[in-house]
Amino acid sequence: TNNGYVRYAFDVLHADAVTVNPYLGAEAMKPFLDRADKGIIVLCRTSNPGAGEFQDLMVMDDVPLYQFVARRVACWNERYGNCAVVVGATAPAELARVRAIVGDMPILIPGIGAQGGDLEATVKAGKDSRGRGMIINSSRGIIFASNGEDFAEAARRETKKLNDQIQACLNL
């Protein structure tokens, strides 16, 4: 099935990256991982309120599942070089733990804006050794900035505002 998803996402839709669920294991992820020219963004510790129900469960080596996933994805990235993880801004302590595990690997960070993630705490916890490595997402804050004729201008304004706020947090 994943061979078909890979062909459709990358060869038909021409996507540059996809978000995947790791819970089927490396064997099922291999069609994605084999596409070294594409980004594979793996769910790790999501931003939704119920994320901890499974992601915080203690597993092998008595660590939370999300940390086990982060370790595994870091190993995949060492081999394939095309991985990132998803960790929500709504869990800055968990974000810091994942950053420590994955090193300078990119982290997609949803949860800023409507979900209430703290931007300053997110940047502090999520930045890599070079002060980068974060893809901070604010979907609803940008997409729904306006439903009027000024939609594009409002979306641009909110995007610029968020970018300026991120830069300010990086300079603290």
Side-chain angles (χ1 to χ4, degrees), residues 107-146:
I107 301 177
L108 172 60
I109 307 173
I112 292 295
Q115 288 185 325
D118 179 286
L119 185 60
E120 185 176 332
T122 296
V123 170
K124 181 178 178 183
K127 65 183 175 181
D128 67 13
S129 68
R130 298 163 297 185
R132 301 185 312 222
M134 301 170 290
I135 305 165
I136 297 176
N137 184 41
S138 176
S139 297
R140 287 180 273 179
I142 293 169
I143 293 171
F144 299 121
S146 173

Tab-separated table of all heavy atoms in Angstrom, residues 107-146:
chain	number	residue	atom	x	y	z
A	107	ILE	N	12.557	19.636	12.832
A	107	ILE	CA	11.339	19.320	13.579
A	107	ILE	C	10.216	20.208	13.051
A	107	ILE	O	10.336	21.436	13.045
A	107	ILE	CB	11.510	19.536	15.100
A	107	ILE	CG1	12.634	18.660	15.649
A	107	ILE	CG2	10.195	19.251	15.821
A	107	ILE	CD1	12.917	18.875	17.134
A	108	LEU	N	9.125	19.580	12.605
A	108	LEU	CA	7.898	20.288	12.233
A	108	LEU	C	7.116	20.510	13.517
A	108	LEU	O	6.828	19.546	14.240
A	108	LEU	CB	7.081	19.469	11.231
A	108	LEU	CG	5.683	19.995	10.890
A	108	LEU	CD1	5.733	21.389	10.282
A	108	LEU	CD2	4.971	19.033	9.958
A	109	ILE	N	6.779	21.770	13.796
A	109	ILE	CA	6.160	22.119	15.073
A	109	ILE	C	4.806	22.774	14.844
A	109	ILE	O	4.724	23.984	14.607
A	109	ILE	CB	7.080	23.045	15.890
A	109	ILE	CG1	8.477	22.426	16.039
A	109	ILE	CG2	6.460	23.343	17.256
A	109	ILE	CD1	9.508	23.342	16.676
A	110	PRO	N	3.711	21.998	14.914
A	110	PRO	CA	2.371	22.588	14.873
A	110	PRO	C	1.971	23.046	16.277
A	110	PRO	O	2.646	22.727	17.260
A	110	PRO	CB	1.506	21.411	14.416
A	110	PRO	CG	2.208	20.214	14.980
A	110	PRO	CD	3.679	20.540	14.936
A	111	GLY	N	0.882	23.777	16.366
A	111	GLY	CA	0.325	24.109	17.678
A	111	GLY	C	0.506	25.550	18.103
A	111	GLY	O	0.091	25.935	19.188
A	112	ILE	N	1.138	26.373	17.261
A	112	ILE	CA	1.222	27.807	17.547
A	112	ILE	C	-0.054	28.441	17.008
A	112	ILE	O	-0.530	28.091	15.942
A	112	ILE	CB	2.467	28.426	16.854
A	112	ILE	CG1	3.758	27.900	17.482
A	112	ILE	CG2	2.426	29.955	16.890
A	112	ILE	CD1	3.970	28.289	18.943
A	113	GLY	N	-0.601	29.368	17.748
A	113	GLY	CA	-1.823	30.032	17.290
A	113	GLY	C	-3.037	29.461	17.974
A	113	GLY	O	-3.134	29.475	19.200
A	114	ALA	N	-3.957	28.911	17.207
A	114	ALA	CA	-5.246	28.459	17.733
A	114	ALA	C	-5.111	27.404	18.823
A	114	ALA	O	-5.929	27.344	19.740
A	114	ALA	CB	-6.117	27.926	16.596
A	115	GLN	N	-4.074	26.558	18.756
A	115	GLN	CA	-3.909	25.514	19.774
A	115	GLN	C	-3.224	26.027	21.032
A	115	GLN	O	-3.147	25.316	22.021
A	115	GLN	CB	-3.144	24.324	19.205
A	115	GLN	CG	-3.966	23.511	18.235
A	115	GLN	CD	-3.217	22.270	17.773
A	115	GLN	OE1	-2.014	22.256	17.606
A	115	GLN	NE2	-3.974	21.207	17.566
A	116	GLY	N	-2.697	27.241	20.997
A	116	GLY	CA	-2.196	27.879	22.209
A	116	GLY	C	-0.754	27.596	22.580
A	116	GLY	O	-0.343	27.893	23.705
A	117	GLY	N	0.034	27.057	21.678
A	117	GLY	CA	1.441	26.829	21.988
A	117	GLY	C	2.171	28.137	22.231
A	117	GLY	O	1.906	29.147	21.586
A	118	ASP	N	3.081	28.140	23.205
A	118	ASP	CA	3.855	29.318	23.565
A	118	ASP	C	5.051	29.441	22.627
A	118	ASP	O	5.927	28.572	22.614
A	118	ASP	CB	4.319	29.187	25.020
A	118	ASP	CG	5.148	30.359	25.477
A	118	ASP	OD1	6.326	30.462	25.064
A	118	ASP	OD2	4.629	31.163	26.271
A	119	LEU	N	5.103	30.504	21.833
A	119	LEU	CA	6.138	30.646	20.821
A	119	LEU	C	7.535	30.741	21.431
A	119	LEU	O	8.469	30.084	20.967
A	119	LEU	CB	5.867	31.852	19.921
A	119	LEU	CG	6.826	32.021	18.752
A	119	LEU	CD1	6.785	30.809	17.826
A	119	LEU	CD2	6.504	33.286	17.986
A	120	GLU	N	7.704	31.541	22.453
A	120	GLU	CA	9.030	31.690	23.065
A	120	GLU	C	9.531	30.361	23.627
A	120	GLU	O	10.686	29.974	23.404
A	120	GLU	CB	8.997	32.763	24.154
A	120	GLU	CG	10.366	33.059	24.739
A	120	GLU	CD	10.340	34.188	25.763
A	120	GLU	OE1	9.468	35.077	25.687
A	120	GLU	OE2	11.225	34.164	26.646
A	121	ALA	N	8.671	29.649	24.349
A	121	ALA	CA	9.065	28.340	24.902
A	121	ALA	C	9.358	27.347	23.782
A	121	ALA	O	10.278	26.527	23.891
A	121	ALA	CB	7.961	27.807	25.817
A	122	THR	N	8.601	27.443	22.694
A	122	THR	CA	8.789	26.555	21.551
A	122	THR	C	10.142	26.774	20.899
A	122	THR	O	10.886	25.829	20.635
A	122	THR	CB	7.658	26.762	20.529
A	122	THR	OG1	6.426	26.377	21.136
A	122	THR	CG2	7.888	25.955	19.266
A	123	VAL	N	10.467	28.025	20.639
A	123	VAL	CA	11.741	28.334	19.998
A	123	VAL	C	12.899	27.921	20.895
A	123	VAL	O	13.869	27.306	20.432
A	123	VAL	CB	11.818	29.830	19.613
A	123	VAL	CG1	13.218	30.214	19.162
A	123	VAL	CG2	10.796	30.145	18.523
A	124	LYS	N	12.802	28.202	22.168
A	124	LYS	CA	13.869	27.833	23.104
A	124	LYS	C	14.070	26.320	23.130
A	124	LYS	O	15.197	25.831	23.099
A	124	LYS	CB	13.524	28.344	24.505
A	124	LYS	CG	14.578	28.044	25.540
A	124	LYS	CD	14.201	28.603	26.894
A	124	LYS	CE	15.263	28.231	27.918
A	124	LYS	NZ	14.915	28.687	29.254
A	125	ALA	N	12.976	25.572	23.159
A	125	ALA	CA	13.053	24.105	23.244
A	125	ALA	C	13.375	23.454	21.912
A	125	ALA	O	13.976	22.377	21.873
A	125	ALA	CB	11.732	23.554	23.775
A	126	GLY	N	12.974	24.099	20.805
A	126	GLY	CA	13.045	23.436	19.511
A	126	GLY	C	14.240	23.751	18.646
A	126	GLY	O	14.553	22.990	17.722
A	127	LYS	N	14.937	24.852	18.909
A	127	LYS	CA	16.033	25.221	18.005
A	127	LYS	C	17.192	24.234	18.125
A	127	LYS	O	17.450	23.674	19.184
A	127	LYS	CB	16.493	26.651	18.241
A	127	LYS	CG	17.105	26.909	19.588
A	127	LYS	CD	17.445	28.385	19.724
A	127	LYS	CE	17.952	28.668	21.126
A	127	LYS	NZ	18.275	30.085	21.309
A	128	ASP	N	17.864	24.032	16.996
A	128	ASP	CA	18.991	23.104	16.966
A	128	ASP	C	20.277	23.825	17.381
A	128	ASP	O	20.241	24.987	17.817
A	128	ASP	CB	19.107	22.422	15.594
A	128	ASP	CG	19.477	23.363	14.463
A	128	ASP	OD1	19.898	24.521	14.713
A	128	ASP	OD2	19.348	22.947	13.300
A	129	SER	N	21.415	23.170	17.222
A	129	SER	CA	22.692	23.730	17.671
A	129	SER	C	23.091	24.980	16.892
A	129	SER	O	23.943	25.743	17.346
A	129	SER	CB	23.795	22.674	17.560
A	129	SER	OG	24.056	22.367	16.200
A	130	ARG	N	22.459	25.198	15.745
A	130	ARG	CA	22.747	26.383	14.931
A	130	ARG	C	21.667	27.455	15.089
A	130	ARG	O	21.671	28.446	14.359
A	130	ARG	CB	22.872	25.992	13.463
A	130	ARG	CG	24.036	25.017	13.205
A	130	ARG	CD	23.881	24.345	11.885
A	130	ARG	NE	22.648	23.556	11.942
A	130	ARG	CZ	22.220	22.746	11.001
A	130	ARG	NH1	22.893	22.617	9.898
A	130	ARG	NH2	21.111	22.055	11.136
A	131	GLY	N	20.718	27.221	16.000
A	131	GLY	CA	19.630	28.176	16.191
A	131	GLY	C	18.560	28.097	15.134
A	131	GLY	O	17.823	29.058	14.909
A	132	ARG	N	18.473	26.953	14.478
A	132	ARG	CA	17.496	26.759	13.398
A	132	ARG	C	16.819	25.401	13.600
A	132	ARG	O	16.585	24.984	14.695
A	132	ARG	CB	18.204	26.810	12.042
A	132	ARG	CG	18.928	28.097	11.786
A	132	ARG	CD	19.502	28.176	10.404
A	132	ARG	NE	20.239	26.978	10.014
A	132	ARG	CZ	21.380	26.964	9.370
A	132	ARG	NH1	21.939	28.082	9.024
A	132	ARG	NH2	21.972	25.843	9.041
A	133	GLY	N	16.485	24.739	12.492
A	133	GLY	CA	15.976	23.367	12.532
A	133	GLY	C	14.513	23.220	12.865
A	133	GLY	O	14.060	22.116	13.153
A	134	MET	N	13.758	24.331	12.834
A	134	MET	CA	12.336	24.282	13.166
A	134	MET	C	11.496	24.722	11.975
A	134	MET	O	11.827	25.690	11.309
A	134	MET	CB	12.029	25.233	14.333
A	134	MET	CG	12.775	24.942	15.600
A	134	MET	SD	12.573	26.292	16.797
A	134	MET	CE	13.533	27.594	16.007
A	135	ILE	N	10.414	23.986	11.752
A	135	ILE	CA	9.393	24.409	10.795
A	135	ILE	C	8.163	24.676	11.660
A	135	ILE	O	7.439	23.759	12.037
A	135	ILE	CB	9.101	23.318	9.747
A	135	ILE	CG1	10.388	22.885	9.051
A	135	ILE	CG2	8.052	23.803	8.752
A	135	ILE	CD1	10.257	21.591	8.269
A	136	ILE	N	7.987	25.929	12.042
A	136	ILE	CA	6.904	26.294	12.957
A	136	ILE	C	5.662	26.601	12.140
A	136	ILE	O	5.686	27.426	11.233
A	136	ILE	CB	7.316	27.493	13.836
A	136	ILE	CG1	8.519	27.087	14.709
A	136	ILE	CG2	6.140	27.952	14.696
A	136	ILE	CD1	9.085	28.211	15.550
A	137	ASN	N	4.583	25.914	12.489
A	137	ASN	CA	3.346	25.960	11.714
A	137	ASN	C	2.233	26.650	12.502
A	137	ASN	O	2.044	26.365	13.683
A	137	ASN	CB	2.940	24.513	11.387
A	137	ASN	CG	1.732	24.454	10.504
A	137	ASN	OD1	1.600	25.231	9.585
A	137	ASN	ND2	0.849	23.521	10.779
A	138	SER	N	1.518	27.532	11.831
A	138	SER	CA	0.340	28.183	12.402
A	138	SER	C	-0.753	28.201	11.343
A	138	SER	O	-1.065	29.250	10.772
A	138	SER	CB	0.679	29.606	12.846
A	138	SER	OG	-0.485	30.264	13.303
A	139	SER	N	-1.319	27.060	11.076
A	139	SER	CA	-2.288	26.944	9.971
A	139	SER	C	-3.488	27.860	10.124
A	139	SER	O	-3.723	28.739	9.295
A	139	SER	CB	-2.780	25.499	9.849
A	139	SER	OG	-1.715	24.657	9.534
A	140	ARG	N	-4.258	27.655	11.175
A	140	ARG	CA	-5.494	28.427	11.327
A	140	ARG	C	-5.236	29.913	11.512
A	140	ARG	O	-6.007	30.743	11.038
A	140	ARG	CB	-6.323	27.881	12.483
A	140	ARG	CG	-6.984	26.557	12.141
A	140	ARG	CD	-7.783	26.029	13.286
A	140	ARG	NE	-6.884	25.252	14.147
A	140	ARG	CZ	-7.243	24.653	15.257
A	140	ARG	NH1	-8.481	24.750	15.689
A	140	ARG	NH2	-6.384	23.950	15.952
A	141	GLY	N	-4.150	30.262	12.195
A	141	GLY	CA	-3.822	31.665	12.408
A	141	GLY	C	-3.541	32.407	11.113
A	141	GLY	O	-3.704	33.624	11.040
A	142	ILE	N	-3.118	31.675	10.095
A	142	ILE	CA	-2.811	32.293	8.809
A	142	ILE	C	-3.959	32.103	7.826
A	142	ILE	O	-4.438	33.054	7.212
A	142	ILE	CB	-1.484	31.737	8.259
A	142	ILE	CG1	-0.334	32.209	9.165
A	142	ILE	CG2	-1.266	32.144	6.810
A	142	ILE	CD1	0.990	31.555	8.913
A	143	ILE	N	-4.422	30.871	7.693
A	143	ILE	CA	-5.481	30.573	6.722
A	143	ILE	C	-6.766	31.345	7.025
A	143	ILE	O	-7.438	31.824	6.122
A	143	ILE	CB	-5.772	29.058	6.685
A	143	ILE	CG1	-4.570	28.320	6.115
A	143	ILE	CG2	-7.015	28.763	5.851
A	143	ILE	CD1	-4.683	26.808	6.236
A	144	PHE	N	-7.092	31.477	8.313
A	144	PHE	CA	-8.328	32.143	8.689
A	144	PHE	C	-8.106	33.574	9.176
A	144	PHE	O	-8.909	34.102	9.941
A	144	PHE	CB	-9.074	31.323	9.745
A	144	PHE	CG	-9.469	29.954	9.255
A	144	PHE	CD1	-9.017	28.819	9.898
A	144	PHE	CD2	-10.276	29.801	8.135
A	144	PHE	CE1	-9.367	27.549	9.438
A	144	PHE	CE2	-10.632	28.545	7.670
A	144	PHE	CZ	-10.181	27.419	8.329
A	145	ALA	N	-7.019	34.206	8.728
A	145	ALA	CA	-6.754	35.590	9.112
A	145	ALA	C	-7.863	36.516	8.605
A	145	ALA	O	-8.143	37.544	9.207
A	145	ALA	CB	-5.395	36.038	8.580
A	146	SER	N	-8.488	36.127	7.510
A	146	SER	CA	-9.613	36.890	6.964
A	146	SER	C	-10.403	35.982	6.027
A	146	SER	O	-9.830	35.122	5.371
A	146	SER	CB	-9.112	38.102	6.173
A	146	SER	OG	-10.200	38.734	5.519
